[in-house]
Amino acid sequence: MGRQWRDGRGELVVHGGGGGPAVRVPLEIATSYRARTRGLLGRDSVEGAILLSPANSVHTFRMRMPIDVAYLDRDLRVIAVRTMRPGRLGMPRLRARHVVEANAGVMSEYGVREGAWVEVVVHAS
């Protein structure tokens, strides 16, 4: 199930599986090498989240803030969520195909946790 996203904006729809309503989060999509490499570098915060694809690991070198990182498999199921301080190198996740980054502490507010399923809704540009 290959994903054909392009750099741009959209929404991350989080289905936590708890029977509650889905949570919609503003999303920046980074699929080009340049956009993925830049990621959150040089920013003080992010509105919503950023999707890096393809990716199975991240680092926080030269970042100004701690971040939450969610690793997604090919079916967009969350396989791990970690909080990383600046200056760290994340462990690669072998099953991960995509990574979602957000301000530290907000993933739990969004309902992003291991086992949750997310979908990416792309906004037309």
Side-chain angles (χ1 to χ4, degrees):
M1 188 186 297
R3 308 286 179 196
Q4 298 298 317
W5 300 307
R6 305 185 103 183
D7 292 349
R9 297 218 169 260
E11 285 184 322
L12 183 72
V13 182
V14 182
H15 304 277
V23 176
R24 300 177 89 78
V25 178
L27 184 68
E28 183 178 330
I29 302 168
T31 59
S32 69
Y33 176 79
R34 182 179 180 140
R36 284 181 289 130
T37 301
R38 181 154 194 279
L40 296 177
L41 295 177
R43 299 189 200 185
D44 293 321
S45 67
V46 60
E47 180 186 337
I50 183 171
L51 170 74
L52 307 175
S53 180
N56 68 353
S57 68
V58 296
H59 68 82
T60 57
F61 300 121
R62 294 184 8 219
M63 283 195 184
R64 299 178 181 169
M65 61 186 178
I67 60 171
D68 280 352
V69 180
Y71 299 89
L72 310 177
D73 68 11
R74 72 179 77 239
D75 298 320
L76 302 182
R77 183 130 342 242
V78 179
I79 58 176
V81 179
R82 299 291 181 263
T83 300
M84 294 177 63
R85 296 188 320 241
R88 302 287 187 231
L89 179 63
M91 260 181 42
R93 307 289 170 173
L94 296 178
R95 291 184 13 236
R97 297 295 179 264
H98 319 281
V99 172
V100 176
E101 298 177 342
N103 293 326
V106 301
M107 290 288 190
S108 61
E109 293 174 22
Y110 298 156
V112 177
R113 63 182 184 282
E114 190 172 330
W117 172 69
V118 302
E119 63 181 303
V120 175
V121 177
V122 177
H123 290 169
S125 48

